[in-house]
Amino acid sequence: QVQLVESGGGLVQAGGSLRLSCAASGRTFSAYAMAWFRQAPGKDREFVASMSRQSRYIYYTDSVKGRFTISRDNAKSVVYLQMHSLKTEDTAVYYCAAGDRLTILQLTTASAYGYWGQGTQVTVSS
């Protein structure tokens, strides 16, 4: 079992930056692949970024490449999502997710992750 708590969301103007954090507790953090997903009002949850257990494999959805960076600190049991050049279409609730025994192909698939945080709201104003 692992518990996830996100923080760092808020209201920011377009072009601004935010850094989301996800603190994990419970089992060994380094055993889990970590990911960020988001869900905008009226839309399905979508993949944003993911990182394998030892950070060897990192993936981003196309719309955030070059603007968002996922990172993890296994010693602190925290995963981050640094977001720059935010756009109004980035507005959503952002969720942190953890999964164990994921294959590389599963790193972008929501259903492969067994543990989820409660979400943090990111609102980008024009």
Side-chain angles (χ1 to χ4, degrees):
Q1 290 283 343
V2 62
Q3 294 76 43
L4 304 172
V5 179
E6 302 99 332
S7 61
L11 174 63
V12 63
Q13 286 190 326
S17 299
L18 280 175
R19 188 177 80 160
L20 306 183
S21 300
C22 173
S25 60
R27 290 183 58 190
T28 305
F29 178 73
S30 60
Y32 292 89
M34 300 299 298
W36 290 94
F37 291 80
R38 65 187 180 186
Q39 187 166 17
K43 295 187 177 181
D44 293 334
R45 188 170 298 189
E46 68 167 345
F47 167 76
V48 176
S50 64
M51 175 176 278
S52 60
R53 293 180 298 168
Q54 298 302 325
S55 310
R56 181 175 182 183
Y57 300 99
I58 299 174
Y59 297 100
Y60 298 96
T61 192
D62 286 346
S63 63
V64 308
K65 285 180 181 177
R67 300 189 297 122
F68 290 11
T69 302
I70 187 171
S71 61
R72 64 191 295 164
D73 186 334
N74 284 346
K76 295 181 179 179
S77 298
V78 180
V79 62
Y80 303 99
L81 186 68
Q82 179 68 57
M83 305 185 293
H84 294 298
S85 302
L86 283 161
K87 305 176 181 180
T88 55
E89 52 263 44
D90 294 319
T91 295
V93 177
Y94 283 70
Y95 297 91
C96 172
D100 58 356
R101 303 188 187 93
L102 268 62
T103 66
I104 297 172
L105 294 177
Q106 291 176 310
L107 285 172
T108 62
T109 304
S111 60
Y113 291 84
Y115 304 97
W116 293 81
Q118 81 288 350
T120 186
Q121 177 70 47
V122 172
T123 303
V124 184
S125 63
S126 59

